[in-house]
Amino acid sequence: MGCQKSDAPPFSKDKKAELTIAYTNENAFLKRYGNLFNQEYPNIRLSIISTKHLVTKKLPVENWVQQNKFDIIYLPPELVKEMAERNDLQELDLWIKRDSFPLDAYIPQVIEYARSIGNGKLYGLPPTFHGQAIAYNKDLFDSYHIEYPHEGMTWEDLLLLANKFPKKDGNGNSLIALATSDPSPFEFMLKVGFGQNLAITQGNPSKATVASDPWKQIWELTLPLLNSGQLINSSDLNAYMNAFLAGKQAMAMVTYEEYKQLAARKKSSFQWALAPLPVSPNHNDTLLIDGLYAVSAQSTEKEAAWELVKFLNSRTVAKWNYRSLYGFSTLQNELSTNQEERERLSVMYALRQSYHPMEEVPSQLVDKANAAIQSILDGGKSLEDALKQLQNEVQQLPK
């Protein structure tokens, strides 16, 4: 822990301190936490600095750290990892042990994920997370005698399941098999591919792999669903949830926000349930963590900073944030006030997973791939020709 001794006395609430918190911006921090700090720690003076240029990568980490002094910082996983590797952040484990901090009260999968960011060490604690699951209309599955989605499915299983639904229901109305919040068809294919640990480019020098057999299989499974209108991809909440809420859609890939829409309905015309997202042997992406609170390794107020990190991850703050925009609480008992709902929601985080950096996909590649998809659906190109052209275009993108 560097100069920080594990047997140092914990911070007293009555002590005075001045702390700088690095957060998106001051207004966002105050909107999220209001006057909670003043009530709990009246003798701590807080100042907020913005992480905007750091998070948007307008400034490299090294430059941002040189220009900004902070005690506590809220960052997404990839930046926590980078700053931990640079020794900008304080390891938390000795403090956790000293204070008997109740890690077992938190969702184990979330803590395991947080540890994986620091290669087994904890450098930050996430107060909230977003889970993902498949919501499915049990009545529609029953009426067409199709087995329910279930734990252990692969992405191929899910797409084959969607392909079992007819294009129209008994009344001649269009029937949607699956809808997702991915902004475009290719971004959905990327989710499927990355979920199988595939890559767009590989090797050094990098070589495009977008036309490889595993990617081609994803196109082959997805294109018929797109062609028949049974697969909808849209970032507009209404576009991909309205049909499900109306009982005219078999499955929807939902996060916390969409689940709230479902849970808020006191009465529904159909029975629904949640199933875990498809799995891959070494690669699962069910958990989405907006950010973790970490302590600066250079802070002169480490004890006070750690005290506030504990508070930011406490039951008091979780209750304040309950069912907020920030996702589910990482505290097991605060996930929901209802035991039955807690059991239902467990599928959103049931899969064990560890942090891995996501491959960045250039927007021009997404545009070209979606144009290729459209040309196939319009009958202008074969899948082989479209993938061959895409392969060449990816290879020519600036490295």
Side-chain angles (χ1 to χ4, degrees):
M1 295 278 290
C3 63
Q4 179 62 45
K5 293 182 179 179
S6 62
D7 57 354
F11 185 83
S12 168
K13 281 191 176 184
D14 299 327
K15 285 184 69 174
K16 291 185 177 181
E18 293 187 13
L19 295 178
T20 299
I21 298 182
Y23 195 80
T24 315
N25 60 63
E26 185 172 7
N27 286 340
F29 185 85
L30 294 175
K31 183 178 179 182
R32 183 167 184 176
Y33 297 109
N35 293 316
L36 274 176
F37 280 103
N38 294 336
Q39 296 166 19
E40 290 286 326
Y41 301 95
N43 293 325
I44 293 182
R45 289 181 57 189
L46 294 182
S47 57
I48 316 297
I49 60 173
S50 174
T51 57
K52 181 181 177 182
H53 288 162
L54 175 61
V55 173
T56 57
K57 300 181 180 177
K58 287 187 177 179
L59 272 179
V61 170
E62 182 180 5
N63 293 15
W64 190 91
V65 170
Q66 286 176 350
Q67 295 175 24
N68 295 275
K69 302 302 178 187
F70 64 94
D71 300 291
I72 300 168
I73 194 164
Y74 182 77
L75 289 174
E78 62 271 18
L79 284 172
V80 169
K81 184 172 184 65
E82 185 174 350
M83 290 184 74
E85 290 173 349
R86 284 175 32 86
N87 298 317
D88 292 324
L89 303 179
Q90 192 75 44
E91 186 190 332
L92 304 180
D93 289 297
L94 285 178
W95 279 329
I96 287 169
K97 184 178 181 180
R98 181 198 69 185
D99 297 352
S100 299
F101 184 76
L103 272 186
D104 57 355
Y106 294 78
I107 293 170
Q109 291 88 336
V110 177
I111 298 301
E112 185 176 342
Y113 181 89
R115 279 200 183 282
S116 72
I117 296 169
N119 296 320
K121 298 176 181 179
L122 272 179
Y123 286 95
L125 289 173
T128 56
F129 75 98
H130 296 266
Q132 299 176 84
I134 302 292
Y136 61 97
N137 182 322
K138 295 175 74 173
D139 294 356
L140 276 178
F141 274 84
D142 291 343
S143 64
Y144 293 106
H145 307 290
I146 298 172
E147 67 273 23
Y148 297 150
H150 55 82
E151 185 175 345
M153 281 191 312
T154 63
W155 283 100
E156 181 182 0
D157 293 335
L158 179 68
L159 292 171
L160 289 173
L161 200 61
N163 267 302
K164 291 183 179 181
F165 283 90
K167 297 176 185 177
K168 296 185 181 297
D169 63 18
N171 299 317
N173 300 313
S174 295
L175 184 62
I176 299 171
L178 174 65
T180 81
S181 59
D182 300 292
S184 69
F186 185 65
E187 282 159 294
F188 170 71
M189 290 185 185
L190 286 174
K191 176 182 284 182
V192 175
F194 289 162
Q196 296 177 16
N197 212 15
L198 301 182
I200 292 294
T201 58
Q202 282 183 331
N204 188 15
S206 63
K207 182 179 179 182
T209 57
V210 72
S212 62
D213 287 344
W215 279 111
K216 183 179 179 183
Q217 184 184 30
I218 293 170
W219 286 63
E220 288 171 340
L221 289 167
T222 307
L223 286 168
L225 290 168
L226 291 169
N227 192 44
S228 62
Q230 290 170 288
L231 172 63
I232 303 295
N233 306 117
S234 173
S235 54
D236 179 352
L237 192 64
N238 293 327
Y240 72 94
M241 283 302 290
N242 276 357
F244 187 85
L245 295 171
K248 298 177 181 178
Q249 180 178 306
M251 294 179 285
M253 202 170 294
V254 297
T255 62
Y256 172 75
E257 292 303 313
E258 296 86 64
Y259 170 78
K260 281 200 300 185
Q261 276 201 340
L262 281 167
R265 293 163 64 91
K266 300 300 180 186
K267 291 184 179 179
S268 182
S269 59
F270 59 93
Q271 288 188 304
W272 61 275
L274 296 178
L277 238 56
V279 297
S280 176
N282 304 306
H283 193 103
N284 295 313
D285 285 312
T286 308
L287 291 179
L288 300 172
I289 292 177
D290 291 334
L292 303 89
Y293 281 105
V295 175
S296 168
Q298 284 72 47
S299 171
T300 57
E301 293 280 6
K302 289 187 178 72
E303 287 292 344
W306 166 237
E307 180 69 20
L308 287 202
V309 168
K310 289 192 293 184
F311 180 65
L312 285 160
N313 287 274
S314 68
R315 191 179 180 196
T316 301
V317 173
K319 287 186 176 297
W320 177 272
N321 270 340
Y322 179 65
R323 290 256 166 120
S324 68
L325 296 172
Y326 310 103
F328 298 113
S329 169
T330 53
L331 280 161
Q332 296 185 64
N333 288 339
E334 300 303 322
L335 190 68
S336 170
T337 56
N338 181 287
Q339 175 63 27
E340 184 180 339
E341 184 179 48
R342 281 204 294 270
E343 291 175 5
R344 171 188 275 175
L345 291 173
S346 66
V347 303
M348 283 198 165
Y349 58 84
L351 302 177
R352 294 182 64 181
Q353 55 202 292
S354 57
Y355 170 77
H356 53 267
M358 293 291 288
E359 183 179 1
E360 290 190 24
V361 180
S363 58
Q364 57 264 48
L365 167 57
V366 174
D367 294 340
K368 290 177 184 297
N370 280 315
I373 290 169
Q374 195 57 53
S375 70
I376 296 170
L377 296 177
D378 291 341
K381 271 186 185 169
S382 67
L383 173 59
E384 286 73 16
D385 289 343
L387 282 178
K388 186 176 180 180
Q389 180 179 334
L390 192 61
Q391 174 92 357
N392 292 332
E393 289 171 338
V394 173
Q395 197 63 52
Q396 291 168 21
L397 287 173
K399 302 295 185 288

